[in-house]
Amino acid sequence: MAMRYAISLLAILFASPLAAQGGTTPSAGGVASPAAPAAPGQDPIAAWLDSLASDAHGLTISRSAVHEGDLQVGAGDTVAGSIAAFHGTLDVYGHVRGNAVAAGGDVVLHPGSEVGGDVLSVGGEVRNEGGSVGGETRSVSALTVGAPTPAAPVTTEQTARRAVSLSVGWYLVLAFIGLAVVLFARSNLEIIAERIRTDFTKSFLYGLAGHILFVPALVVGVAASAITVVGIVLIPFIIVGFFLAAAGALALGFIAMSFVIGDAAMRWRGAAGGGGRAQLLQFLIVGLSIFLVLWVIAGALTSFGAVGGLVRFICMVVTWVAVTAGFGATLASRGGTRALHPPLLEEIEPIDDLSWQTPTPVSGVAAARRPPSSGRER
Amino acid sequence: MRSPGIIRPLLLGAAGVATLAVSALPTSAAAQESQRWRTLEASRSTPASSAGDTLRVRVAYSVGRLTLGDAKPGTLYDILVRYDANERLVSYSYDPAAHILTVGGDSGFARRFAISHDTDDKGPHPSLALRLAPSVPLDLALRLSAADATLALGGLDVRGLSVDATASGGRVTFDKPNPSRIPSAELRATFAGIAVSGLGNARADTVRAKATLGRVELDLGGDWTGSTTLDLDAVLGVVTVRVPSDVGVKVDASTTLGSVDTPGFTARDGALYSDNWSAAKRSVTIAGRAVLARLEVQRLP
């Protein structure tokens, strides 16, 4: 029942991050708005003109030359200076002595039209259908240099959703690693878990020491390698290997810790310990789920100010303690290769050469007579 | 009881953590994707007043694909740049008085074009497509760094040519005869490769090429007459010259721990001559230096 529950939970959680991501991922290949968002209370056109003037490919245009929406310069019309359409298309049939600009729209130069300066489209294109341009024609997908563009404010809902999906993502990956560990390194997992159960404090202190001594150990290892020529060549591999081993020990330790917690939780509920792989996986999933629930709650409470912060802090402390204890147990057991209590049979040493022999009377043992063979025997 | 191996669980854990790290990347990358890539297209009509003046073009481009070719009639230049605004700043300018077009800055290209990673195989590629007026005399100077360049100069009026490639690949083609002569063309490849085809069509009086830890290939095919000179330097590299069979070739090369491969040539007066040297209507004189390098002269069919 509990296993079914865990699998169902896993299936639901697989769907969750996808749904969450769908809401937060921006549309691929989208083009940034040609106009920089204005600060609250600021005229958006003025803000955009500031950006335009600052951009390497921009122009300087006065505010009075800008019109919102589509704009047209008639066949007989002449614009003495520059002209710009903001979030609209600029159709030029007549003459523009200055620059012709469109923000978030196209500039169309119709036959017979004439622009003395530059023609620029930001977020659109310039279509020259027979006009003449005295200056340069250019189109840019967006302004790249200019007034600083304030980042879009992130809503509390987005923050919470991101935190929850992050937790779920971690959960899924750890569950996957846990599955691999149960399948391929079950004995290591059990030995590390036994260490944690037997002496949690010692495991935690080992883990703490491991955290502190990580960098010094790396430095010593590299320095020792530098003594020989072969060692110098191996230094990059040693560094990478060291980090990989540490990452592996952390992951393995946390998985073992989750397994111990799941085991304890299930026993508290009265589950019997069968010891099969399925039950190991069940305990592991339950343990990881407990951490998941903690982090999901913390993520959901992100917008609740101090309370959310406190919950998140508690989650961090709990997780750090779990990771440290698991890491310590992994180190102490050499990655789950050294059991705390070796099996009894291995401890018993023969007292003398004869101790294993069957006691035999000095007078000997009468040989038993073999029963007569049956007729079927050949 | 058999002691379980330590490597297996550690590798499993490490692989898992690596997976975690990798799985965290796409979210942040996708979040920025729509903000990063920009296109810039700029063009200018050929001014009637300066139609006969030489347009000096200075290009410094790194980490991307560069193409150069001829523009539509009446257009002086046409630039199309695709770039990652987070990684680089595209800069170009045209000075109508001096008749200079500068793309990417004439100096300090590393400041202009950040030497960065933005050549993701699966994602968009940074690129610069430059098209120039076919009728305007051109003096071209290109500096490439970690770039992949294709320069189709066949339809242009080239009066000066300099290509400096570092850690790049460059292909230069002259598929049509150049309307003007080039007094001196310069090619330098450092940790790079430059291949020129139809160099005969370039109508260059002198071609200077240098390969340092790189390779330069010069194909002298094309429609040309008279004589031309190649001044070649190879340092820890290879310079290969391919010459049409009807062209007379003289090679005067010095080597320092290097070699000169000129199969079928005859040594005379300290130089190597092809069999048709005295009778050929067109000729090429090669002066070369090879230091820990190789100079090759091959015959085109």
Side-chain angles (χ1 to χ4, degrees):
Chain A
M1 182 68 182
M3 188 66 189
R4 207 177 308 148
Y5 161 77
I7 292 170
S8 308
L9 181 65
L10 199 65
I12 293 165
L13 290 172
F14 260 112
S16 304
L18 298 175
Q21 282 176 7
T24 54
T25 306
S27 59
V31 176
S33 168
Q42 190 185 5
D43 177 13
I45 295 178
W48 179 72
L49 288 175
D50 286 345
S51 300
L52 188 67
S54 307
D55 193 275
H57 315 119
L59 292 167
T60 301
I61 293 183
S62 65
R63 174 67 180 82
S64 59
V66 183
H67 303 261
E68 286 197 72
D70 294 343
L71 185 62
Q72 185 173 315
V73 177
D77 297 342
T78 299
V79 178
S82 298
I83 192 164
F86 188 74
H87 285 310
T89 298
L90 174 60
D91 284 282
V92 182
Y93 293 90
H95 291 188
V96 178
R97 290 187 178 153
N99 304 312
V101 179
D106 299 340
V107 180
V108 186
L109 303 177
H110 295 275
S113 63
E114 191 178 327
V115 177
D118 291 348
V119 178
L120 170 66
S121 169
V122 180
E125 61 177 346
V126 176
R127 299 204 306 271
N128 191 342
E129 297 175 353
S132 71
V133 181
E136 192 177 65
T137 300
R138 60 185 177 276
S139 57
V140 294
S141 56
L143 297 177
T144 53
V145 180
T149 304
V154 180
T155 64
T156 52
E157 185 195 346
Q158 284 176 323
T159 308
R161 193 181 292 175
R162 184 175 168 73
V164 170
S165 36
L166 197 64
S167 307
V168 173
W170 272 96
Y171 173 83
L172 292 176
V173 176
L174 284 169
F176 180 75
I177 300 170
L179 175 66
V181 169
V182 168
L183 288 177
F184 303 112
R186 177 183 167 182
S187 52
N188 300 72
L189 178 67
E190 287 174 333
I191 289 172
I192 296 169
E194 185 58 29
R195 284 263 176 181
I196 295 170
R197 279 196 206 97
T198 309
D199 200 341
F200 180 84
T201 309
K202 198 173 174 182
S203 298
F204 178 76
L205 291 175
Y206 260 93
L208 204 58
H211 287 323
I212 295 166
L213 294 175
F214 177 77
V215 175
L218 179 61
V219 171
V220 169
V222 169
S225 306
I227 293 171
T228 62
V229 176
V230 177
I232 291 171
V233 175
L234 292 175
I235 283 175
F237 300 99
I238 289 170
I239 293 172
V240 172
F242 196 81
F243 276 96
L244 276 177
L250 281 168
L252 191 59
F254 183 70
I255 285 167
M257 189 70 206
S258 303
F259 168 70
V260 170
I261 291 172
D263 183 15
M266 293 304 288
R267 285 181 199 284
W268 179 66
R269 283 192 61 201
R277 275 210 172 90
Q279 194 172 44
L280 244 64
L281 191 61
Q282 180 188 2
F283 290 169
L284 179 62
I285 294 294
V286 170
L288 284 174
S289 300
I290 290 170
F291 280 104
L292 172 71
V293 169
L294 283 175
W295 278 102
V296 166
I297 291 170
L301 294 177
T302 303
S303 56
F304 285 80
V307 176
L310 181 65
V311 173
R312 200 159 59 247
F313 176 73
I314 291 169
C315 280
M316 285 172 66
V317 170
V318 169
T319 309
W320 177 75
V321 169
V323 168
T324 305
F327 183 51
T330 308
L331 292 180
S333 65
R334 313 282 201 280
T337 58
R338 293 208 175 176
L340 195 59
H341 300 294
L344 195 58
L345 283 175
E346 287 185 4
E347 286 179 348
I348 299 169
E349 295 290 330
I351 297 165
D352 56 52
D353 290 338
L354 301 175
S355 62
W356 58 273
Q357 294 184 9
T358 308
T360 308
V362 177
S363 57
V365 178
R369 193 175 182 82
R370 193 177 182 185
S373 59
S374 64
R376 291 180 184 174
E377 202 173 83
R378 293 178 183 176
Chain B
M1 181 181 172
R2 190 171 61 88
S3 180
I6 185 172
I7 299 298
R8 194 171 50 184
L10 288 182
L11 281 178
L12 276 171
V17 173
T19 310
L20 281 176
V22 172
S23 64
L25 289 176
T27 313
S28 56
Q32 292 182 8
E33 192 65 28
S34 64
Q35 301 294 319
R36 289 170 58 185
W37 288 93
R38 299 276 188 271
T39 54
L40 161 68
E41 186 165 17
S43 63
R44 184 182 290 271
S45 302
T46 307
S49 58
S50 60
D53 296 344
T54 298
L55 174 66
R56 287 186 285 165
V57 180
R58 304 289 178 258
V59 178
Y61 190 67
S62 67
V63 194
R65 291 174 182 164
L66 167 68
T67 54
L68 196 156
D70 55 335
K72 288 185 294 187
T75 302
L76 183 63
Y77 61 82
D78 188 341
I79 303 169
L80 176 60
V81 193
R82 185 165 172 75
Y83 64 104
D84 180 351
N86 288 347
E87 300 291 348
R88 60 175 75 192
L89 172 64
V90 170
S91 170
Y92 79 96
S93 64
Y94 171 67
D95 182 346
H99 218 39
I100 296 179
L101 172 66
T102 307
V103 183
D106 199 31
S107 63
F109 61 81
R111 284 175 311 195
R112 296 293 187 187
F113 290 120
I115 296 177
S116 187
H117 65 85
D118 53 4
T119 49
D120 178 10
D121 284 342
K122 292 178 181 172
H125 287 270
S127 62
L128 165 63
L130 176 61
R131 291 186 286 273
L132 299 167
S135 57
V136 174
L138 298 170
D139 177 15
L140 303 173
L142 300 103
R143 198 142 44 102
L144 313 171
S145 178
D148 183 13
T150 304
L151 315 176
L153 307 181
L156 302 173
D157 183 1
V158 183
R159 306 278 176 99
L161 176 64
S162 169
V163 179
D164 191 344
T166 304
S168 299
R171 287 167 299 284
V172 184
T173 56
F174 284 91
D175 58 355
K176 294 176 195 166
N178 192 17
S180 306
R181 294 199 73 82
I182 302 175
S184 177
E186 303 211 355
L187 306 164
R188 282 179 297 277
T190 307
F191 292 104
I194 299 177
V196 186
S197 62
L199 184 58
N201 282 334
R203 300 178 65 202
D205 295 331
T206 302
V207 176
R208 291 191 171 85
K210 183 169 186 177
T212 305
L213 286 162
R215 185 179 188 102
V216 173
E217 295 178 13
L218 306 174
D219 177 342
L220 281 170
D223 182 15
W224 60 286
T225 56
S227 62
T228 188
T229 302
L230 304 183
D231 190 2
L232 311 177
D233 278 288
V235 179
L236 290 165
V238 180
V239 176
T240 304
V241 182
R242 297 193 180 90
V243 189
S245 55
D246 65 318
V247 175
V249 184
K250 175 188 174 185
V251 180
D252 186 359
S254 64
T255 60
T256 305
L257 297 175
S259 65
V260 178
D261 296 340
T262 53
F265 281 45
T266 308
R268 192 169 67 240
D269 303 330
L272 297 161
Y273 294 87
S274 64
D275 294 341
N276 61 344
W277 169 250
S278 12
K281 290 182 180 174
R282 48 183 187 164
S283 63
V284 57
T285 304
I286 299 173
R289 289 155 295 281
V291 179
L292 290 164
R294 190 167 79 242
L295 298 178
E296 297 174 338
V297 179
Q298 299 172 355
R299 283 297 197 179
L300 288 172

